[in-house]
Amino acid sequence: MSIDSLRRSARATVSGLPQGFWWLWLSTLVNRTGAFVLTFLSLYLTIELGHSAWFAGLVVALHGLGGVAGSPLGGVLTDRWGRRPTMITMHLAAASCAAALAFVTSAWGVALVVLLMGVAMQAVRPSINATISDMVPADDVRRAFALNYWALNLGFAVASIAGGAAAFLGYRTLFLVDAVATTLCAVIVFLRLPETRPERAAAKGGEKPADERVSMLDVLRDAPFRTLVLLNLLVCVVFTAPWIGLPLTMAEQGLSPSSYGMVIAVNGIVIVGFQLLVNKVTERRSPVVLLTVSSLLFAVGTGATALAGSSVAFAATVVVWTVGEMVHVPTNAAATARLAPEHARGRYQGVMGMSWAVAGFVAPILAGAIVDGPGSDVLWAGTFAIGALAAVGYTLRLRRALCEEEPETAVAEEPGAAVAPGKSGAVEGVSPAAAQPSPASGS
């Protein structure tokens, strides 16, 4: 591929999106560029405050547990209160928590602040995803999610490098910088981002507006969406396992922590360097095919970890499942937008986000227990089996719901499912061609 063709491809990838999306993209980049808390939290707890590694792991898990509650909360607020006020409030709440960590030193005080930070950080995501679904034309939604995910990883890469270089300033200084960056993110949203929540459907005979008639229970009764959430949970467990299991497996092979650092850095390098290219290659592909292929890439990439014996081989496995990540994350977010009624986009994205949070809480515990018990080979055989199972599930269970059909036919399939007024508009937000999934190396 020539330089000119690469330039044309890059131009096509970033062109045609509304100005509001780029302000949201910038806020994501700013937010993640200053994301120092989670990156350096375990080091701060063990080195600076002198806590055990067990306690540090517990605190990080509490952040994930907070996300389990924060995601549905953010979804409800996004639909009822609005996208913009939810984003601003939760960004400011997360900034306050980051600032508090610079001053709170008691063990349980730190644990409480991190738990609340998990709630705030996860609660903002449904409003971001709903805003993208609202403002971006249907044919471009998957591309928009991919670009936003690229900004997230680009910012995370910068934060990791800058944080390491600035660590001599002290962890508390990094946490204050995180607070400032998150506050700036809220300011960008306040000054430049319009509210995109669709107008409430007119109520008849004193009934509640349509968006107030859809509860979280109604969302879970939507059979195709419920299947999408459960399959995504399986994929998220596979995706999360290497972040705990890979360093332990490499240590068993006699490789140093620095070797792990170089191997896992491949994940960020590949995403930052090739996300736009992957997006170009996968555009106009069936969402079911993309979700199936990405699940198989996760299965093969993590499963092959059991066969690796050198840093190069481990890095190769990371490349495989990272490509799966780049395909899955935007496609899954776009598929969620496709299935959601426009007045319930926040709730749907909130429930989907909860699957990421649950995996982030459960998978590290399971991975550590399996490595300590049956052994790392069992862990990687398990991730291969789970990834393959998810691939079969996408092919057999979601082909009809996500296939290229008319909006009116994309409805829940079981009695009592949440087919609220405007469900035919559930396919608004993603074109049949634009089908892809979205973290949390972040999420």
Side-chain angles (χ1 to χ4, degrees):
M1 183 177 285
S2 66
I3 298 297
D4 287 341
S5 62
L6 285 174
R7 287 175 178 170
R8 287 194 298 270
S9 177
R11 193 177 301 115
T13 300
V14 301
S15 64
L17 296 172
Q19 185 181 50
F21 167 79
W22 291 110
W23 285 112
L24 184 62
W25 184 91
L26 178 62
S27 72
T28 298
L29 181 62
V30 169
N31 190 20
R32 296 303 299 173
T33 300
F36 297 120
V37 169
L38 287 182
T39 306
F40 296 96
L41 181 60
S42 60
L43 294 176
Y44 171 68
L45 291 171
T46 54
I47 296 175
E48 185 83 4
L49 299 185
H51 294 298
S52 66
W54 176 87
F55 181 77
L58 174 63
V59 171
V60 173
L62 285 176
H63 185 277
L65 185 62
V68 174
S71 191
L73 171 65
V76 171
L77 292 177
T78 294
D79 288 334
R80 290 193 176 182
W81 196 12
R83 283 64 160 140
R84 188 166 171 267
T86 301
M87 267 188 271
I88 293 171
T89 301
M90 293 305 165
H91 279 317
L92 292 177
S96 299
C97 291
L101 283 176
F103 303 100
V104 176
T105 57
S106 69
W108 298 112
V110 170
L112 177 61
V113 172
V114 171
L115 177 67
L116 294 175
M117 191 174 190
V119 173
M121 288 181 66
Q122 192 67 33
V124 78
R125 288 172 182 162
S127 58
I128 293 173
N129 288 353
T131 299
I132 292 173
S133 303
D134 294 338
M135 68 167 48
V136 174
D139 288 345
D140 295 322
V141 166
R142 188 202 59 82
R143 176 162 63 99
F145 277 120
L147 286 168
N148 198 62
Y149 189 63
W150 182 61
L152 187 151
N153 281 279
L154 178 60
F156 181 76
V158 173
S160 299
I161 297 171
F168 68 91
L169 296 175
Y171 295 106
R172 290 181 173 86
T173 301
L174 294 182
F175 296 164
L176 290 174
V177 172
D178 191 327
V180 171
T182 308
T183 301
L184 179 58
C185 181
V187 171
I188 292 173
V189 173
F190 178 75
L191 294 178
R192 307 303 304 180
L193 200 67
E195 176 58 58
T196 63
R197 182 179 62 163
E199 294 294 328
R200 292 184 175 185
K204 297 181 180 179
E207 294 180 356
K208 291 183 178 180
D211 61 338
E212 294 186 7
R213 293 202 302 269
V214 179
S215 67
M216 282 303 211
L217 185 58
D218 293 326
V219 175
L220 293 174
R221 286 173 177 163
D222 185 329
F225 178 67
R226 186 174 64 237
T227 300
L228 184 68
V229 171
L230 292 175
L231 292 174
N232 184 67
L233 177 59
L234 295 179
V235 173
C236 289
V237 168
V238 176
F239 169 63
T240 306
W243 299 92
I244 302 299
L246 182 58
L248 298 177
T249 301
M250 292 181 66
E252 290 177 354
Q253 299 285 341
L255 298 172
S256 66
S258 61
S259 297
Y260 167 70
M262 290 186 290
V263 167
I264 202 61
V266 171
N267 173 257
I269 293 170
V270 171
I271 292 175
V272 172
F274 297 99
Q275 178 72 67
L276 299 184
L277 178 60
V278 169
N279 183 55
K280 184 66 177 177
V281 171
T282 56
E283 68 179 351
R284 311 300 176 190
R285 306 294 181 184
S286 162
V288 172
V289 170
L290 292 176
L291 291 171
T292 300
V293 169
S294 64
S295 299
L296 290 175
L297 288 170
F298 275 119
V300 172
T302 58
T305 306
L307 306 176
S310 66
S311 296
V312 174
F314 282 115
T317 67
V318 172
V319 170
V320 174
W321 59 255
T322 297
V323 175
E325 177 188 356
M326 289 191 287
V327 174
H328 180 87
V329 170
T331 306
N332 186 71
T336 300
R338 179 187 185 116
L339 293 176
E342 66 174 17
H343 57 272
R345 282 172 177 158
R347 289 175 175 87
Y348 273 65
Q349 294 287 354
V351 171
M352 180 57 72
M354 190 165 57
S355 67
W356 286 93
V358 169
F361 178 69
V362 172
I365 298 174
L366 290 178
I370 293 172
V371 171
D372 284 341
S376 58
D377 286 351
V378 174
L379 172 64
W380 304 122
T383 59
F384 176 82
I386 294 172
L389 178 63
V392 172
Y394 283 122
T395 300
L396 297 182
R397 302 292 298 173
L398 287 176
R399 182 173 298 278
R400 180 167 179 261
L402 296 179
C403 68
E404 301 181 7
E405 57 187 7
E406 291 299 319
E408 288 74 17
T409 64
V411 297
E413 297 180 357
E414 66 178 30
V419 187
K423 181 64 177 180
S424 61
V427 222
E428 297 174 4
V430 172
S431 71
Q436 251 185 266
S438 178
S441 356
S443 221

